[in-house]
Amino acid sequence: MRKISEFEMPDLIPARMLNEFTYCPRLCYIEWVEGEFEDNADTVDGRFQHRRVDQSQGVVPNPEEVADFTARSVDISAHEIGIVCRLDLIEGKDGHVIPVEYKRGYVPKIEGGAYESDKVQLCAQGLALKENGYECNEGLIYFVKSKQKVQITFNELLVNRTKQLINNLRLMIASEKIPSPLVESSRCVRCSLAGICLPDEINFLKNPENRNEEIPQVRKFLPPRDDQIPLYVTGYGQTVRKKGERLEVWSNRDKTGEVKIRELSQISLYGSADITSPAFTEILQRNIPINYFSYGGWFYGFSQGNSHKNVELRIKQFAFAEDKKRSLKLAQMFVYGKILNSRTILRRNDGEVSDEILKSLKKLASDAKSSNSLQTLLGIEGGAAQIYFSRFNNLLKSDDSWYSFENRNRRPPKDPVNTVLSYLYGVMVKEFFVTLNTTGFDPYLGFYHQPRYGRPALALDMMEEFRSIIADSVTFTLFNNGELSERDFISRGLGVTLTPTGKKAVLRGYERRISTEVKHPLFGYKVSYRRIFEVQARLLSRVLHGEIDVYPPFLTR
């Protein structure tokens, strides 16, 4: 384990983090050490309720000059006890001071009228005031919705408990090990980080005996789908401009579309499509990723604001990639998932597929899990892909000859089916690139795909298990449903490319597919494919953290 140095240990612990640690040590670790945060309705409402006390007001007198006064949003630090805090409100009276902590909800119906986490946070504020020379023996918690104050006395029991928790928090940081998730705790229900923490999922995977249960008791804390929408801008001469709280898409002098900025999840610019400086700055400030593609759909890169702080995960990722045995173990599971999902696609959609082919794919998947080198694994994956694509024409149900499929080819693709496959693989690389980046990974360092200049190797790793069930499925569905016609393709030299109309049809099919809610085969709840991408990335991070031993690929049934 990497030893944490004194320089890395923070001198001062925010009292707010002490509150989080008391509530759930894992929550504190994720938010403070890993730098991850996600809003929910409670946190947004909390900021709204706090807006008045967040505005600095009033002056705090010297300790020896305390008389009647009030001050809001006061910063104070105490190096001896190791606490830094921002006091919502401080009141002075008769020579002593009282910190007042604002909470958004109602007075809880429990003994003492306040949760331990809130009492500890308030007590830490009181200790900080005492260390700075102020007389402070009690504080108040003001519950906004109840409009009631609860008095908290800083007695010996609470003071000792607060000091003990400060010490425990420091030990947690020094251990560099994320605490285990709570078990079947009601605290997880209202936690905004439950979708990052995955408490029930991790507990389930840490206890292999539970995997024999057909329907595990895993609660769903992730929203089923992402309500924000992506913006795709294709075609020559398209420009994205900002107007108020909206983005507008213009083609020369004509407006071709608009979207509310707050509803955007990401922007994808294809070919010569561009974005004005005011729009670009606004999007960066809102931490919305902008993806850049070639006209043909090759992913060039992306722009994003200064967002993710999870350097610990990237350190572990680089250490893992240096370890050939551990990298191979991950690569095996990526390929294992890819082969089994390809087999399922054939079993579902190819009525003439033989048992021998299905058995061959199943054996190759098993061989992938026991392969002894990356080169062997590459050979196994190549063999499985050859078998799979030899049956791909059977997934295309029409008798039309203009899009028949013979074999997989690319750079450039030589027929319409390969053109759509290549285009969708490029879109999926972008999808995983953004997902991995927002979950704290370096998308360029993989475990199966090896580093190469400009290659998003980890994004390519993670999409392996989804190629057949997303990109391939969208491809044969579009052709089978007649959503693509011969007019949607152009032959240029040795290759075939999509027209702007054809690209829009492909992107519609892709968005429809990844927004589809499916039952997670391991956890039993329904969730969209786009959310599953995020879940798989977070499960990979838990393997790197050592919380679970084996990466579980998403295996469709």
Side-chain angles (χ1 to χ4, degrees), residues 460-491:
L460 291 166
D461 284 357
M462 291 294 295
M463 68 179 275
E464 289 294 359
E465 66 203 68
F466 293 98
R467 280 180 186 265
S468 58
I469 57 178
I470 301 295
D472 300 358
S473 176
V474 170
T475 299
F476 64 73
T477 299
L478 288 171
F479 283 101
N480 291 345
N481 290 347
E483 295 179 71
L484 288 171
S485 71
E486 199 168 0
R487 293 193 299 273
D488 293 319
F489 298 89
I490 304 171
S491 294

Short mmCIF file of all heavy atoms in Angstrom, two decimals, residues 460-491:
data_model
loop_
_atom_site.label_atom_id
_atom_site.label_comp_id
_atom_site.label_asym_id
_atom_site.label_seq_id
_atom_site.Cartn_x
_atom_site.Cartn_y
_atom_site.Cartn_z
N LEU A 460 -12.26 1.65 -25.11
CA LEU A 460 -12.39 0.49 -26.00
C LEU A 460 -12.55 -0.80 -25.19
O LEU A 460 -13.32 -1.68 -25.55
CB LEU A 460 -11.16 0.40 -26.91
CG LEU A 460 -11.05 1.50 -27.96
CD1 LEU A 460 -9.66 1.53 -28.57
CD2 LEU A 460 -12.10 1.32 -29.05
N ASP A 461 -11.84 -0.89 -24.05
CA ASP A 461 -11.99 -2.06 -23.17
C ASP A 461 -13.43 -2.20 -22.70
O ASP A 461 -14.04 -3.27 -22.79
CB ASP A 461 -11.11 -1.92 -21.92
CG ASP A 461 -9.64 -2.20 -22.20
OD1 ASP A 461 -9.31 -2.56 -23.34
OD2 ASP A 461 -8.84 -2.05 -21.25
N MET A 462 -13.97 -1.10 -22.18
CA MET A 462 -15.28 -1.15 -21.52
C MET A 462 -16.42 -1.38 -22.51
O MET A 462 -17.47 -1.90 -22.15
CB MET A 462 -15.53 0.16 -20.76
CG MET A 462 -14.64 0.35 -19.54
SD MET A 462 -14.96 -0.85 -18.24
CE MET A 462 -16.63 -0.44 -17.76
N MET A 463 -16.21 -0.98 -23.78
CA MET A 463 -17.31 -1.15 -24.74
C MET A 463 -17.36 -2.55 -25.32
O MET A 463 -18.32 -2.92 -25.98
CB MET A 463 -17.22 -0.11 -25.86
CG MET A 463 -16.05 -0.28 -26.78
SD MET A 463 -16.06 0.99 -28.08
CE MET A 463 -17.15 0.22 -29.30
N GLU A 464 -16.32 -3.38 -25.05
CA GLU A 464 -16.29 -4.71 -25.66
C GLU A 464 -17.55 -5.51 -25.36
O GLU A 464 -18.16 -6.09 -26.24
CB GLU A 464 -15.05 -5.48 -25.18
CG GLU A 464 -13.72 -4.99 -25.74
CD GLU A 464 -13.60 -5.21 -27.25
OE1 GLU A 464 -14.52 -5.76 -27.86
OE2 GLU A 464 -12.58 -4.78 -27.81
N GLU A 465 -17.95 -5.54 -24.08
CA GLU A 465 -19.11 -6.37 -23.72
C GLU A 465 -20.43 -5.81 -24.24
O GLU A 465 -21.45 -6.50 -24.18
CB GLU A 465 -19.16 -6.53 -22.20
CG GLU A 465 -19.42 -5.26 -21.45
CD GLU A 465 -18.93 -5.29 -20.00
OE1 GLU A 465 -17.69 -5.32 -19.81
OE2 GLU A 465 -19.75 -5.29 -19.09
N PHE A 466 -20.40 -4.55 -24.75
CA PHE A 466 -21.63 -3.91 -25.23
C PHE A 466 -21.70 -3.80 -26.75
O PHE A 466 -22.70 -3.33 -27.29
CB PHE A 466 -21.78 -2.52 -24.61
CG PHE A 466 -22.02 -2.55 -23.12
CD1 PHE A 466 -20.97 -2.36 -22.24
CD2 PHE A 466 -23.28 -2.80 -22.60
CE1 PHE A 466 -21.18 -2.39 -20.87
CE2 PHE A 466 -23.50 -2.84 -21.24
CZ PHE A 466 -22.45 -2.64 -20.37
N ARG A 467 -20.63 -4.15 -27.46
CA ARG A 467 -20.63 -3.98 -28.92
C ARG A 467 -21.83 -4.66 -29.56
O ARG A 467 -22.57 -4.06 -30.34
CB ARG A 467 -19.34 -4.56 -29.51
CG ARG A 467 -18.12 -3.67 -29.39
CD ARG A 467 -16.92 -4.36 -30.01
NE ARG A 467 -15.69 -3.62 -29.82
CZ ARG A 467 -15.18 -2.78 -30.70
NH1 ARG A 467 -15.81 -2.58 -31.86
NH2 ARG A 467 -14.06 -2.14 -30.46
N SER A 468 -22.01 -5.94 -29.27
CA SER A 468 -23.06 -6.69 -29.97
C SER A 468 -24.46 -6.28 -29.51
O SER A 468 -25.37 -6.17 -30.33
CB SER A 468 -22.85 -8.19 -29.77
OG SER A 468 -22.87 -8.50 -28.39
N ILE A 469 -24.62 -6.03 -28.21
CA ILE A 469 -25.98 -5.76 -27.72
C ILE A 469 -26.40 -4.31 -27.92
O ILE A 469 -27.58 -3.99 -27.79
CB ILE A 469 -26.13 -6.15 -26.22
CG1 ILE A 469 -25.10 -5.44 -25.35
CG2 ILE A 469 -26.03 -7.63 -26.06
CD1 ILE A 469 -25.24 -5.78 -23.87
N ILE A 470 -25.47 -3.43 -28.26
CA ILE A 470 -25.84 -2.04 -28.56
C ILE A 470 -25.63 -1.75 -30.05
O ILE A 470 -26.58 -1.66 -30.82
CB ILE A 470 -25.04 -1.04 -27.70
CG1 ILE A 470 -25.28 -1.29 -26.20
CG2 ILE A 470 -25.42 0.39 -28.06
CD1 ILE A 470 -26.69 -1.04 -25.74
N ALA A 471 -24.37 -1.62 -30.47
CA ALA A 471 -24.08 -1.17 -31.84
C ALA A 471 -24.60 -2.18 -32.87
O ALA A 471 -25.26 -1.79 -33.84
CB ALA A 471 -22.58 -0.96 -32.01
N ASP A 472 -24.29 -3.46 -32.69
CA ASP A 472 -24.71 -4.46 -33.68
C ASP A 472 -26.23 -4.58 -33.70
O ASP A 472 -26.83 -4.70 -34.77
CB ASP A 472 -24.08 -5.82 -33.35
CG ASP A 472 -22.55 -5.76 -33.36
OD1 ASP A 472 -22.01 -4.69 -33.66
OD2 ASP A 472 -21.92 -6.79 -33.06
N SER A 473 -26.84 -4.54 -32.51
CA SER A 473 -28.29 -4.66 -32.43
C SER A 473 -28.97 -3.47 -33.12
O SER A 473 -29.95 -3.64 -33.85
CB SER A 473 -28.73 -4.73 -30.96
OG SER A 473 -30.12 -4.74 -30.86
N VAL A 474 -28.44 -2.26 -32.90
CA VAL A 474 -29.01 -1.08 -33.56
C VAL A 474 -28.86 -1.21 -35.07
O VAL A 474 -29.78 -0.89 -35.84
CB VAL A 474 -28.32 0.21 -33.06
CG1 VAL A 474 -28.72 1.41 -33.90
CG2 VAL A 474 -28.66 0.45 -31.59
N THR A 475 -27.71 -1.71 -35.50
CA THR A 475 -27.45 -1.81 -36.95
C THR A 475 -28.46 -2.71 -37.65
O THR A 475 -29.13 -2.29 -38.61
CB THR A 475 -26.02 -2.35 -37.17
OG1 THR A 475 -25.08 -1.45 -36.60
CG2 THR A 475 -25.73 -2.51 -38.67
N PHE A 476 -28.59 -3.96 -37.18
CA PHE A 476 -29.52 -4.82 -37.94
C PHE A 476 -30.97 -4.42 -37.72
O PHE A 476 -31.82 -4.65 -38.57
CB PHE A 476 -29.25 -6.32 -37.67
CG PHE A 476 -29.46 -6.83 -36.28
CD1 PHE A 476 -30.73 -6.99 -35.75
CD2 PHE A 476 -28.37 -7.21 -35.51
CE1 PHE A 476 -30.92 -7.50 -34.48
CE2 PHE A 476 -28.55 -7.72 -34.24
CZ PHE A 476 -29.83 -7.86 -33.72
N THR A 477 -31.29 -3.76 -36.62
CA THR A 477 -32.66 -3.27 -36.42
C THR A 477 -32.99 -2.17 -37.41
O THR A 477 -34.09 -2.13 -37.99
CB THR A 477 -32.83 -2.75 -34.98
OG1 THR A 477 -32.59 -3.83 -34.06
CG2 THR A 477 -34.24 -2.23 -34.75
N LEU A 478 -32.04 -1.23 -37.61
CA LEU A 478 -32.29 -0.14 -38.57
C LEU A 478 -32.53 -0.66 -39.98
O LEU A 478 -33.44 -0.19 -40.68
CB LEU A 478 -31.09 0.83 -38.55
CG LEU A 478 -30.93 1.72 -37.32
CD1 LEU A 478 -29.60 2.46 -37.36
CD2 LEU A 478 -32.08 2.73 -37.24
N PHE A 479 -31.73 -1.63 -40.39
CA PHE A 479 -31.92 -2.18 -41.74
C PHE A 479 -33.20 -3.01 -41.81
O PHE A 479 -33.96 -2.90 -42.77
CB PHE A 479 -30.70 -3.04 -42.12
CG PHE A 479 -29.51 -2.22 -42.53
CD1 PHE A 479 -28.45 -2.00 -41.65
CD2 PHE A 479 -29.45 -1.64 -43.79
CE1 PHE A 479 -27.36 -1.25 -42.02
CE2 PHE A 479 -28.35 -0.88 -44.17
CZ PHE A 479 -27.30 -0.67 -43.28
N ASN A 480 -33.43 -3.82 -40.79
CA ASN A 480 -34.62 -4.69 -40.83
C ASN A 480 -35.91 -3.90 -40.79
O ASN A 480 -36.91 -4.31 -41.37
CB ASN A 480 -34.58 -5.68 -39.67
CG ASN A 480 -33.48 -6.71 -39.82
OD1 ASN A 480 -32.92 -6.85 -40.91
ND2 ASN A 480 -33.16 -7.42 -38.76
N ASN A 481 -35.92 -2.77 -40.09
CA ASN A 481 -37.14 -1.95 -39.98
C ASN A 481 -37.30 -0.97 -41.14
O ASN A 481 -38.25 -0.19 -41.16
CB ASN A 481 -37.13 -1.16 -38.67
CG ASN A 481 -37.32 -2.07 -37.47
OD1 ASN A 481 -37.69 -3.24 -37.61
ND2 ASN A 481 -37.08 -1.53 -36.28
N GLY A 482 -36.34 -0.96 -42.05
CA GLY A 482 -36.43 -0.04 -43.18
C GLY A 482 -36.18 1.40 -42.80
O GLY A 482 -36.62 2.32 -43.50
N GLU A 483 -35.49 1.62 -41.67
CA GLU A 483 -35.20 3.00 -41.24
C GLU A 483 -34.03 3.60 -42.01
O GLU A 483 -33.74 4.79 -41.88
CB GLU A 483 -34.93 3.04 -39.74
CG GLU A 483 -36.15 2.66 -38.91
CD GLU A 483 -35.87 2.67 -37.42
OE1 GLU A 483 -35.71 3.76 -36.86
OE2 GLU A 483 -35.81 1.57 -36.81
N LEU A 484 -33.30 2.78 -42.74
CA LEU A 484 -32.23 3.25 -43.61
C LEU A 484 -32.52 2.79 -45.03
O LEU A 484 -32.98 1.65 -45.24
CB LEU A 484 -30.88 2.69 -43.16
CG LEU A 484 -30.30 3.25 -41.86
CD1 LEU A 484 -29.08 2.44 -41.43
CD2 LEU A 484 -29.92 4.71 -42.03
N SER A 485 -32.29 3.68 -45.99
CA SER A 485 -32.50 3.32 -47.40
C SER A 485 -31.20 3.54 -48.16
O SER A 485 -30.23 4.11 -47.63
CB SER A 485 -33.61 4.17 -48.00
OG SER A 485 -33.16 5.51 -48.16
N GLU A 486 -31.21 3.13 -49.40
CA GLU A 486 -29.99 3.26 -50.21
C GLU A 486 -29.58 4.71 -50.35
O GLU A 486 -28.41 5.04 -50.51
CB GLU A 486 -30.26 2.64 -51.59
CG GLU A 486 -29.01 2.29 -52.36
CD GLU A 486 -29.31 1.41 -53.56
OE1 GLU A 486 -30.50 1.10 -53.78
OE2 GLU A 486 -28.36 1.06 -54.27
N ARG A 487 -30.60 5.62 -50.27
CA ARG A 487 -30.30 7.06 -50.43
C ARG A 487 -29.53 7.63 -49.23
O ARG A 487 -29.04 8.74 -49.29
CB ARG A 487 -31.62 7.83 -50.58
CG ARG A 487 -32.38 7.53 -51.87
CD ARG A 487 -33.48 8.56 -52.08
NE ARG A 487 -34.44 8.52 -51.00
CZ ARG A 487 -35.50 7.72 -50.99
NH1 ARG A 487 -35.71 6.88 -51.98
NH2 ARG A 487 -36.35 7.73 -49.98
N ASP A 488 -29.45 6.86 -48.14
CA ASP A 488 -28.75 7.34 -46.94
C ASP A 488 -27.24 7.08 -46.99
O ASP A 488 -26.54 7.35 -46.02
CB ASP A 488 -29.33 6.68 -45.68
CG ASP A 488 -30.76 7.13 -45.42
OD1 ASP A 488 -31.03 8.33 -45.60
OD2 ASP A 488 -31.59 6.28 -45.05
N PHE A 489 -26.76 6.53 -48.12
CA PHE A 489 -25.33 6.19 -48.24
C PHE A 489 -24.75 6.78 -49.52
O PHE A 489 -25.45 6.95 -50.52
CB PHE A 489 -25.15 4.67 -48.24
CG PHE A 489 -25.64 4.02 -46.96
CD1 PHE A 489 -26.96 3.60 -46.84
CD2 PHE A 489 -24.78 3.85 -45.89
CE1 PHE A 489 -27.42 3.02 -45.67
CE2 PHE A 489 -25.23 3.27 -44.71
CZ PHE A 489 -26.55 2.86 -44.60
N ILE A 490 -23.46 7.10 -49.45
CA ILE A 490 -22.74 7.62 -50.62
C ILE A 490 -21.48 6.78 -50.81
O ILE A 490 -20.75 6.53 -49.85
CB ILE A 490 -22.32 9.09 -50.42
CG1 ILE A 490 -23.53 9.97 -50.10
CG2 ILE A 490 -21.60 9.61 -51.65
CD1 ILE A 490 -23.14 11.38 -49.68
N SER A 491 -21.24 6.34 -52.04
CA SER A 491 -20.00 5.63 -52.35
C SER A 491 -18.94 6.64 -52.75
O SER A 491 -19.18 7.47 -53.64
CB SER A 491 -20.23 4.63 -53.49
OG SER A 491 -21.09 3.61 -53.09
#
